[in-house]
Amino acid sequence: MSLEKMGQAAREAAYQLATISTAQKNRALAAIADELEARSEQILAANAKDIAAGREAGLSEAMLDRLLLNPARLAGIVADVRKGCYPGGAGGGFRPGGGWRNTLHNK
């Protein structure tokens, strides 16, 4: 897929996400987190191969560390995805009465 097509697909997905309900967004985020957990062994195995290939290609240890997934890091990703699911809405949004709501300042 070309970068242009990926950009177009991202714009279309952003529009679809902007128009679905909070409940649908929360279900999608929960499903993503569930799949990450269910496939954690596969994800970690694939990452180990990527790290080996990166090391062979001469990536710096700092870059390899940024790319490295381990059970704790993957669990953190899952937790962050689940944090997007809350009664006020996935990923923040505009509050009636003014102001933007986000996961840092959910008021």
Side-chain angles (χ1 to χ4, degrees):
M1 177 180 283
S2 72
L3 288 178
E4 185 176 323
K5 287 194 185 276
M6 286 193 304
Q8 183 179 0
R11 279 190 300 276
E12 290 170 9
Y15 175 77
Q16 290 174 359
L17 285 173
T19 60
I20 65 173
S21 72
T22 295
Q24 289 171 306
K25 289 177 190 176
N26 287 343
R27 282 193 301 273
L29 288 169
I32 290 166
D34 291 345
E35 283 298 310
L36 287 170
E37 285 180 326
R39 297 178 185 218
S40 63
E41 287 183 26
Q42 291 171 277
I43 292 167
L44 294 172
N47 181 254
K49 288 180 184 178
D50 290 341
I51 293 296
R55 187 166 279 120
E56 199 171 294
L59 291 180
S60 70
E61 286 301 314
M63 182 60 75
L64 291 170
D65 183 63
R66 283 183 166 184
L67 298 173
L68 177 67
L69 283 177
N70 58 35
R73 286 182 177 181
L74 188 53
I77 292 168
V78 170
D80 287 344
V81 171
R82 289 197 192 283
K83 283 180 190 175
C85 301
Y86 59 92
F94 195 75
R95 290 182 293 156
W100 284 93
R101 173 184 66 230
N102 62 41
T103 55
L104 295 176
H105 307 286
N106 187 16
K107 295 181 180 178

